[in-house]
Amino acid sequence: MFVVVGATGNVGRALSSILAASGEAVTAVSRGRRPLAVPDGVRHHRADLEQPESLRPALAGAEALFLLVEGAGAHLDMREILRVAVAGGVKRIVLQSSQAAGTRPDSPSHAPLRATEDLVRHSGLGWTILRPGGFASNALAWAEPVRGNRMVAAPFGDVGLPLIDPADIAEVAAAALRDHPHDGRTYELTGPALSTPRERVADLAAALGEPIGFVDQTPDEAREQMLRFMPPPVVEGTLAILGARRPNVSSGSVPTWPTSWAGHRALSPPGPRVTSTPSADTSRCCRSEGVRHERACVRRHAGVRRSG
């Protein structure tokens, strides 16, 4: 039996479906109070990582655990979470971390996540750590301004990043949960091509069949906007990821997505989803299709996680 913690997120939701479709027993864990729509055959359990004992009923008899922590996990007692997992019989854990835990391990925004990685490595369990880069689904943050005035503002408009589709991360996580050969490995996951904010807006405009304006924000303008909903360390870390040259600290030691694709075909999906083309979900959420659909988009994509 596999336990998916963070089952309402873009990766966790897809992962639960992938595992269930292959006939695996799955328990989807979320902390929300609303009923969670899960695939047929998937059991839902409500638990909160801030209360590790609440996980115990979900983990009893589990073979492997997929773990996603909110933010960088600094507020969590990871030692206790891992102790509960071991006590429940879990043999293997797949941690969704962030590319920045490798490229910026000392930054205030990602140092706690790097510490979580270290705890997982020394937990006594089999482990695989996934470090995805930027999520293609983060374009959903543009839905409201696109619907409202057909305009997007973003910093570093001409800086390209290899964004990854969360469904690809879920495919990798499913392989790591099932297959022992990936124990003890850390994988850096990116998309197949660089994509700039300006290019993504142009692609979205083409998908909608309507022009969309683009405003290239200064870092200060972006910082002011981000501080409305993100703590200062996370804002600075996000701006560095989006626009600063990345330290090449993982080269030669951590397999990247193209490397793992070529050398570890058991891990990778059959092929990456091309992220320069907006997903159907993103296109729908950017259309003016009424309040009911807008609320559905917000609920479905509330788990979009910034990563980089």
Side-chain angles (χ1 to χ4, degrees), residues 11 18 42 55 77 89 114 155 165 218 227 295 304:
V11 175
I18 291 167
V42 173
L55 286 170
D77 185 347
R114 183 58 178 261
D165 191 309
T218 67
L227 284 171
R295 288 175 178 169
V304 172

Side-chain angles (χ1 to χ4, degrees), residues 39-97:
D40 290 343
V42 173
R43 180 172 71 103
H44 177 228
H45 177 77
R46 186 173 293 112
D48 190 336
L49 290 179
E50 293 188 35
Q51 302 172 17
E53 284 295 325
S54 66
L55 286 170
R56 190 177 293 275
L59 296 175
E63 175 186 351
L65 166 67
F66 173 81
L67 181 61
L68 169 66
V69 299
E70 183 182 17
H75 60 297
L76 300 175
D77 185 347
M78 285 304 305
R79 285 186 173 83
E80 183 62 15
I81 291 171
L82 293 171
R83 188 191 67 79
V84 171
V86 171
V90 171
K91 301 295 189 298
R92 187 161 64 259
I93 182 168
V94 176
L95 173 68
Q96 181 182 312
S97 182

Side-chain angles (χ1 to χ4, degrees), residues 2 15-26 39-40 42 171 174-175 178:
F2 298 112
L15 176 58
S16 297
S17 297
I18 291 167
L19 293 172
S22 65
E24 306 287 359
V26 181
D40 290 343
V42 173
E171 293 275 7
R178 295 189 187 108

Side-chain angles (χ1 to χ4, degrees), residues 71-136:
H75 60 297
L76 300 175
D77 185 347
M78 285 304 305
R79 285 186 173 83
E80 183 62 15
I81 291 171
L82 293 171
R83 188 191 67 79
V84 171
V86 171
V90 171
K91 301 295 189 298
R92 187 161 64 259
I93 182 168
V94 176
L95 173 68
Q96 181 182 312
S97 182
S98 166
Q99 191 178 47
T103 60
R104 296 176 174 85
D106 298 323
S107 69
S109 59
H110 288 85
L113 196 51
R114 183 58 178 261
T116 294
E117 288 188 0
D118 291 340
L119 288 172
V120 167
R121 290 188 181 99
H122 294 93
S123 65
L125 300 172
W127 57 266
T128 305
I129 292 173
L130 307 181
R131 291 178 176 171
F135 281 29

Side-chain angles (χ1 to χ4, degrees), residues 24-274:
E24 306 287 359
V26 181
T27 295
V29 176
S30 69
R31 69 175 185 175
R33 296 187 177 182
R34 292 178 179 174
L36 178 65
V38 296
D40 290 343
V42 173
R43 180 172 71 103
H44 177 228
H45 177 77
R46 186 173 293 112
D48 190 336
L49 290 179
E50 293 188 35
Q51 302 172 17
E53 284 295 325
S54 66
L55 286 170
R56 190 177 293 275
L59 296 175
E63 175 186 351
L65 166 67
F66 173 81
L67 181 61
L68 169 66
V69 299
E70 183 182 17
H75 60 297
L76 300 175
D77 185 347
M78 285 304 305
R79 285 186 173 83
E80 183 62 15
I81 291 171
L82 293 171
R83 188 191 67 79
V84 171
V86 171
V90 171
K91 301 295 189 298
R92 187 161 64 259
I93 182 168
V94 176
L95 173 68
Q96 181 182 312
S97 182
S98 166
Q99 191 178 47
T103 60
R104 296 176 174 85
D106 298 323
S107 69
S109 59
H110 288 85
L113 196 51
R114 183 58 178 261
T116 294
E117 288 188 0
D118 291 340
L119 288 172
V120 167
R121 290 188 181 99
H122 294 93
S123 65
L125 300 172
W127 57 266
T128 305
I129 292 173
L130 307 181
R131 291 178 176 171
F135 281 29
S137 56
N138 284 348
L140 289 161
W142 296 343
E144 184 175 347
V146 169
R147 283 196 304 266
N149 56 18
R150 290 297 188 261
M151 184 68 66
V152 168
F156 310 111
D158 297 308
V159 176
L161 294 174
L163 303 184
I164 185 168
D165 191 309
D168 281 338
I169 303 171
E171 293 275 7
V172 173
L177 285 169
R178 295 189 187 108
D179 301 333
H180 292 277
H182 304 297
D183 285 358
R185 302 298 300 271
T186 299
Y187 293 107
E188 186 175 287
L189 309 180
T190 70
L194 298 179
S195 172
T196 71
R198 195 185 305 274
E199 290 169 341
R200 293 195 293 277
V201 170
D203 290 333
L204 182 57
L208 295 177
E210 300 181 30
I212 300 174
F214 179 77
V215 175
D216 197 350
Q217 292 178 314
T218 67
D220 285 342
E221 290 170 340
R223 181 179 292 106
E224 180 181 357
Q225 184 178 38
M226 292 177 178
L227 284 171
R228 298 171 189 168
F229 57 91
M230 296 165 66
V234 177
V235 169
E236 297 308 318
T238 300
L239 288 172
I241 289 166
L242 294 176
R245 184 178 297 275
R246 191 186 83 170
N248 193 24
V249 300
S250 64
S251 178
S253 60
V254 178
T256 62
W257 175 271
T259 300
S260 66
W261 198 359
H264 306 280
R265 292 192 179 276
L267 175 75
S268 299
R273 293 160 178 83
V274 179

